[in-house]
Each structure stands twice: as structure tokens, then as C-alpha cells.
Amino acid sequence: SPQPLATQESFFLRLVAPWCGRCLDDIAAAADARFYRSVAAFAHAFLDLESEAFMIERDAGQAGRTA
């Protein structure tokens, strides 16, 4: 079953976010990574979207507590 959003965000921030962007940048810069350059761009966009979604959910939760 899906984990609570706070658990997902904690996992993402501790175990994925610290290294993934740099790894994807390295893949995109590799001269022979023709196919994987596209995969890296897609993954980068997905992870950026995940980061934004966590921020939106966090902001919405905080706004609900202050209202």
C-alpha cells in the first residue's frame, strides 16, 4: 500500500535528491550516452516535478493549519 506523503518526501530528500541530479547531469554530459541522454532528461524532469509536488503539498498543509 502507498506510504504517507511525509514518508515519501523523507525518503526522497534523504536518499534520492542528494545525488540523483548530479548523476543525471553526468549521464547527459557523457559523449556516448545517446539514448541515456534522453532518459536522463526525462528523469530530471520527473524528479523536478516530484520536488515541486512535495513543496506544494507541504505549503497546502501549512496553509490549512494556519487558516
Side-chain angles (χ1 to χ4, degrees), residues 2 4 9 11-12 15 18 21 23 31-32 34-35 37-40 43 46-47 49 51 53 55-56 58 60 65-66:
E9 181 179 18
F11 177 89
F12 180 80
L15 302 172
C23 178
D32 294 329
R34 288 181 203 93
F35 170 75
R37 199 171 297 128
S38 297
V39 173
F46 175 79
L47 293 172
L49 185 60
S51 294
M55 284 189 291
I56 290 169
R58 197 175 332 113
R65 286 190 293 254
T66 59

Side-chain angles (χ1 to χ4, degrees), residues 10-31:
S10 175
F11 177 89
F12 180 80
L13 292 174
R14 286 184 304 112
L15 302 172
V16 178
W19 63 269
C20 199
R22 187 172 61 215
C23 178
L24 294 171
D25 290 343
D26 289 347
I27 292 169

